[in-house]
Amino acid sequence: MFKKAYIKTYGCQMNEYDSEVMAGLLTKDHYQLTSKPEEADLIILNTCYVREKVKQKVYSKLGEIKKLKEKNPHLILGVCGCVAQRRPEEVLQQAPYVDFILGTFNFYRLPLVVRRVRESGERIVDVEERETIPEKLPKLRKNRFSAYVPIMRGCDNFCTYCNVPYVRGRERSRLPEDILREVEELSCQGYKEVTLLGQNVNSYGKGLENRLDFADLLTRINCIEGIERIRFTTSHPKDITDKLIQRMRDLDKVCEHLHLPVQAGSNKVLKRMRRGYTKERYLELVDKIRKTIPQISLTTDIIVGFPGESEQDFQETLDLVRKVEFDGAFTFCYSRIKGTEAAEFEDQLPEEVKKERLRRLIQLQREILEKRNKSLVGQKFEVLVEGLSKKSSDELQGRTRTNKVVVFKGSPDLVGKLVQVKIVDSSQWALRGEICG
Ligand code: SAH
Ligand code: SF4
């Protein structure tokens, strides 16, 4: 009989991709995946450590799993991902019953490690940093039409609040031929959309021989037959070139959506975050992008309550948000993460102040989104049908090229296809449409 594995993924798309690889490796090793931890023989938590709160969630999940381990002594428990990489000793202290820890550089060694744990009962901790992750690993992808493709790993920017360079290491780009081969394979398997992943995709190619920059990589991927849509994330505002903006306009498959994290609107805060741009430069960039690609939808990430952020500084963030009118914003209270530079800053703000600012920011962004979505009513969009709607099973759900979610009536055989949809109603969450033409 097949053994069963349960994988829980926290955090970003890169973690989701790594989990797809782990699922692929385990399936090849005769495991069956399950969505029920209580029936699993192997449980893996692929963890995120971009904020303290996410780490706490992982620890409370480990507490729940302890009970399963007590019931089933043969259950193997592994912690992978960013918490594993950065805090292996803390994980073992919090949960001494963990069988193995595999960091972000070593997750692909999973089958080997599970076998060793099973055979010898020894506990394994592997968080050694390695230069590359092998190519051609099997993957069990969650989605049948849209796939993640990492183009680089790690980050060299060291924004003062951020744990990513510590949990994912220095920036390493994948070779263009490996990326192109993966996208070609996806096209053969019927995938229509790829999302290229990296912490800072605009600096793709740094350190490679025969350097190909990100705009050139997009151009090469645009030629791959069968792929209809190309997305990418994340773009760092300091590294966006005019060449990239022009290629985004000219390459037919590159979608009209840009995730451009601004983080803050005050130059004092941006400088202390080490973001490498000013509010003025960001606004100029937005202006240039919108002039070149008028249909573009812009989304962002914003942190409130960074150390030393005054009410005046926060007002500048609100002011920037009003000026840009983003199509979406992921908003966070600053989280003090041990080991990052900003955690040592002395002017930390009380949690209450951060939460209150976050509430005001969310309220403003809701109003903006409602207004922007309303302006789309009556317009037609190409939608890639992703599946049944999450809310009601007799409706379909898909995304526009601008990454807006649209819900509409239609036959389930349209899943995976591109359809034209006219928007008939809107809210801050989603658009409602009708298939047309
Ligand atoms: N590489 C991406 C972001 C990766 S982390 C970029 O440069 O934009 C994703 C988001 O988490 C960040 O954009 C930031 O808004 C948020 N974040 C990162 N560290 C944080 C911290 N210590 N506290 C609160 N939010 C944080
Ligand atoms: Fe973190 Fe900054 Fe790198 Fe983004 S660019 S991953 S925020 S250090």
Side-chain angles (χ1 to χ4, degrees):
M1 213 174 68
F2 281 107
K3 286 202 180 297
K4 290 191 175 163
Y6 168 82
I7 304 180
K8 172 140 182 83
T9 311
Y10 298 82
C12 67
Q13 292 132 319
M14 192 66 93
N15 262 11
E16 283 179 34
Y17 177 85
D18 290 350
S19 287
E20 291 178 344
V21 172
M22 289 195 273
L25 288 163
L26 288 174
T27 313
K28 230 178 149 186
D29 217 26
H30 311 294
Y31 273 88
Q32 213 169 44
L33 288 189
T34 172
S35 56
K36 297 188 187 123
E38 57 284 3
E39 63 175 39
D41 305 282
L42 168 65
I43 293 184
I44 292 163
L45 302 187
N46 191 10
T47 62
C48 166
Y49 191 10
V50 81
R51 281 173 294 282
E52 281 295 326
K53 240 200 231 159
V54 210
K55 190 182 77 182
Q56 291 313 328
K57 265 199 216 161
V58 171
Y59 288 152
S60 79
K61 187 77 183 171
L62 282 170
E64 285 169 32
I65 298 171
K66 184 178 183 204
K67 295 185 195 116
L68 297 178
K69 285 265 295 174
E70 283 162 0
K71 269 195 227 149
N72 172 8
H74 300 294
L75 171 63
I76 293 182
L77 170 61
V79 178
C80 303
C82 298
V83 178
Q85 184 65 43
R86 190 75 175 131
R87 300 268 178 262
E89 304 86 15
E90 192 185 279
V91 171
L92 290 180
Q93 208 178 12
Q94 291 274 337
Y97 43 88
V98 163
D99 296 291
F100 67 89
I101 293 185
L102 271 179
T104 53
F105 295 82
N106 311 310
F107 64 93
Y108 63 87
R109 302 181 68 242
L110 180 66
L112 191 91
V113 167
V114 172
R115 235 172 289 143
R116 259 177 57 196
V117 170
R118 215 179 267 300
E119 281 160 18
S120 68
E122 67 180 307
R123 171 185 287 150
I124 296 171
V125 176
D126 187 353
V127 291
E128 197 187 319
E129 296 201 5
R130 288 165 221 260
E131 195 47 37
T132 51
I133 284 164
E135 290 295 333
K136 300 185 185 169
L137 293 169
K139 290 144 211 114
L140 190 69
R141 300 198 190 248
K142 274 216 163 125
N143 188 306
R144 278 184 301 144
F145 310 104
S146 176
Y148 294 131
V149 179
I151 61 168
M152 63 210 293
R153 285 180 182 263
C155 182
D156 287 347
N157 284 321
F158 290 93
C159 299
T160 55
Y161 50 82
C162 186
N163 211 12
V164 170
Y166 305 99
V167 293
R168 291 255 170 207
R170 294 296 73 69
E171 186 179 300
R172 290 99 63 209
S173 290
R174 266 176 92 188
L175 292 174
E177 52 270 33
D178 290 328
I179 298 169
L180 291 166
R181 199 201 48 244
E182 183 167 348
V183 178
E184 269 161 19
E185 279 168 13
L186 287 165
S187 144
C188 294
Q189 292 159 10
Y191 281 84
K192 297 254 165 72
E193 179 177 273
V194 288
T195 302
L196 310 178
L197 300 180
Q199 293 300 340
N200 180 11
V201 291
N202 313 113
S203 76
Y204 172 78
K206 212 166 70 181
L208 291 182
E209 255 175 68
N210 302 325
R211 195 179 156 158
L212 188 80
D213 68 12
F214 182 58
D216 293 330
L217 181 71
L218 282 179
T219 310
R220 301 272 289 273
I221 296 177
N222 199 69
C223 298
I224 297 179
E225 216 184 303
I227 297 297
E228 314 250 16
R229 289 178 167 193
I230 304 168
R231 301 186 183 281
F232 53 87
T233 196
T234 298
S235 294
H236 196 303
K238 78 176 168 53
D239 293 322
I240 288 208
T241 58
D242 288 351
K243 176 175 167 187
L244 176 67
I245 301 172
Q246 283 152 17
R247 294 280 171 94
M248 283 187 74
R249 176 195 60 198
D250 297 339
L251 297 171
D252 60 332
K253 296 177 182 174
V254 175
C255 289
E256 294 76 23
H257 170 226
L258 192 62
H259 185 61
L260 198 61
V262 65
Q263 312 298 2
S266 136
N267 286 341
K268 180 188 99 192
V269 174
L270 286 169
K271 192 157 184 210
R272 291 187 87 203
M273 287 178 160
R274 195 181 292 121
R275 287 296 287 177
Y277 52 85
T278 58
K279 169 186 182 174
E280 292 74 24
R281 164 94 179 85
Y282 186 89
L283 289 171
E284 273 166 34
L285 183 63
V286 165
D287 204 42
K288 196 191 296 175
I289 295 167
R290 285 202 165 133
K291 283 207 172 100
T292 315
I293 314 163
Q295 328 80 297
I296 195 101
S297 99
L298 287 176
T299 54
T300 200
D301 292 346
I302 298 171
I303 298 175
V304 301
F306 187 75
E309 183 191 71
S310 64
E311 174 62 25
Q312 178 55 36
D313 293 321
F314 175 62
Q315 286 296 335
E316 290 197 52
T317 298
L318 294 180
D319 179 56
L320 180 134
V321 168
R322 271 187 215 107
K323 284 202 170 99
V324 177
E325 299 199 329
F326 291 105
D327 290 276
F330 295 102
T331 50
F332 310 103
C333 285
Y334 166 71
S335 169
R336 186 179 188 179
I337 299 189
K338 212 164 59 189
T340 59
E341 268 180 83
E344 303 304 318
F345 293 175
E346 277 170 10
D347 37 8
Q348 304 284 330
L349 299 187
E351 286 308 311
E352 275 320 303
V353 171
K354 297 185 205 173
K355 281 190 194 148
E356 193 272 333
R357 288 184 187 165
L358 186 68
R359 276 196 292 274
R360 278 190 278 160
L361 174 61
I362 290 174
Q363 181 54 31
L364 171 63
Q365 181 53 32
R366 274 191 190 149
E367 289 162 19
I368 291 170
L369 199 54
E370 216 168 313
K371 182 176 119 189
R372 282 190 77 80
N373 281 352
K374 214 176 241 167
S375 74
L376 303 177
V377 173
Q379 295 188 32
K380 278 186 201 165
F381 291 93
E382 178 200 272
V383 170
L384 175 61
V385 188
E386 290 176 349
L388 299 179
S389 147
K390 292 205 178 96
K391 295 238 168 76
S392 95
S393 57
D394 66 337
E395 285 185 312
L396 302 174
Q397 178 171 310
R399 260 166 224 272
T400 63
R401 285 173 60 101
T402 51
N403 211 31
K404 300 257 176 193
V405 175
V406 189
V407 174
F408 49 96
K409 290 230 162 1
S411 147
D413 357 312
L414 292 175
V415 173
K417 304 223 163 78
L418 291 168
V419 294
Q420 291 293 321
V421 172
K422 184 175 164 190
I423 306 303
V424 294
D425 198 7
S426 74
S427 72
Q428 46 174 296
W429 310 116
L431 301 169
R432 175 163 294 283
E434 281 169 5
I435 294 186
C436 59

